[in-house]
Amino acid sequence: MIGGARRRTFIVELDFMSQKVSAQEKPRQDLMVVKNLVKYFPVRAGLLQRVVAWVQAVDDVSFTIRQGETLGLVGESGCGKTTIGRAILRLIEPTSGQIIFNGTDVATLRGKELKAMRRDMQIIFQDPYASLDPRMPIGESVMEGLNVHRVGTPAERFEIMIETLKKVGLEDYHARRYPHEFSGGQRQRIGIARALALRPKFIVCDEPVSALDVSIQSQVLNILKDLQQEFGLTYLFIAHNMSVVEHISDRVAVMYLGKMVELASREDLYRSPLHPYTRALMSAIPIPDPTLKRERIILKGDVPSPLNPPKGCRFHPRCPVAIDRCSQEEPPFREVQPDHLAACWLLE
């Protein structure tokens, strides 16, 4: 038998544990919902610069990013990854589609409403040196967003800047130095600090470690993960390196020539990829054990031009298992398994 006081304490502890479990099991809400996103770039020629063709950089892409998660976006160069990242931030204007952030359609915002929304949406650029003003001390670069949005007093902005630099492993005396006085890894930390200064909800990480040494890559990735846990950040992580994406992502989306071909949780995608293009990417991941070998899938030919993409499935000219239907009809991007979407006729 349990005494009265102990019994009440025991019941309270059980209630607390049940609430904790239910909170953990509660599904995350969608912070970013992208529906039928299209971005075409015009090709102009002639004396009058008339539009003669369109580069189909992103063509009818839909996905969601849940609050607090990291969605990895992978694919070959030129497949539209960076275009998606910039389009959902309205750094470039989408041709059509919906970009719903925290319940608001970003594509319809103008003026002050768009400026206010951008405080919650930031980007870490691939090349930190090109994205920093060489004539401006890095402290002023980090404070620039705070000044634009008029956050607090000048003294408070300075304190936020110093605190943010320390969050990414830099010191207060670094604020007076210029970008050329830092290494590549340090400059990328500055880029992270600048994106973090406004305490956003969502950050696009556009290949933030691709230009760094392997040892520095791990440091930057760990900083990103620590900041995500501390501030509840949501990431769209764009990368080429499948091993890096596996390390940092909760879910992974695979793109090919402007189309999304597969989307699944990290575990499902790396354990059992469904699309032939995803399997080819996975076969290129090196195995650290020299006694083990993976069957390498070599894709023939080059990526078709986005000016004139092939009819049907865009991957079929290079697909080793393509059938006649692949060259005639475009496969729908649909749920093949629970929370595992793919676009392939062989999965019918």
Side-chain angles (χ1 to χ4, degrees), residues 150-256:
R150 299 179 181 178
V151 177
T153 64
E156 290 171 340
R157 295 171 200 162
F158 184 82
E159 290 299 323
I160 293 173
M161 179 267 293
I162 295 297
E163 179 188 355
T164 306
L165 287 179
K166 291 182 177 180
K167 290 285 184 186
V168 298
L170 297 175
E171 298 298 333
D172 50 1
Y173 60 83
H174 286 135
R176 299 185 296 273
R177 296 183 180 178
Y178 290 83
H180 72 272
E181 299 180 74
F182 296 91
S183 66
Q186 288 176 319
R187 283 197 289 262
Q188 195 57 279
R189 292 169 188 251
I190 297 166
I192 295 172
R194 186 173 58 178
L196 186 67
L198 287 167
R199 300 297 185 263
K201 299 176 182 176
F202 175 70
I203 298 179
V204 173
C205 305
D206 186 10
E207 302 188 38
V209 297
S210 61
L212 305 178
D213 294 337
V214 175
S215 59
I216 306 301
Q217 284 185 14
S218 61
Q219 295 176 15
V220 173
L221 290 175
N222 288 334
I223 288 174
L224 290 173
K225 294 189 76 171
D226 292 342
L227 292 174
Q228 184 177 38
Q229 293 178 359
E230 183 175 353
F231 296 104
L233 298 172
T234 303
Y235 293 145
L236 173 64
F237 192 90
I238 300 169
H240 287 101
N241 192 322
M242 299 294 289
S243 300
V244 168
V245 171
E246 182 181 15
H247 173 73
I248 198 170
S249 301
D250 298 301
R251 291 188 301 146
V252 181
V254 182
M255 286 195 66
Y256 182 81

Side-chain angles (χ1 to χ4, degrees), residues 129-150:
Y129 190 66
S131 63
L132 293 171
D133 189 338
R135 299 166 298 178
M136 184 181 292
I138 64 106
E140 293 185 20
S141 293
V142 173
M143 282 196 298
E144 194 169 17
L146 299 171
N147 295 331
V148 169
H149 291 275
R150 299 179 181 178

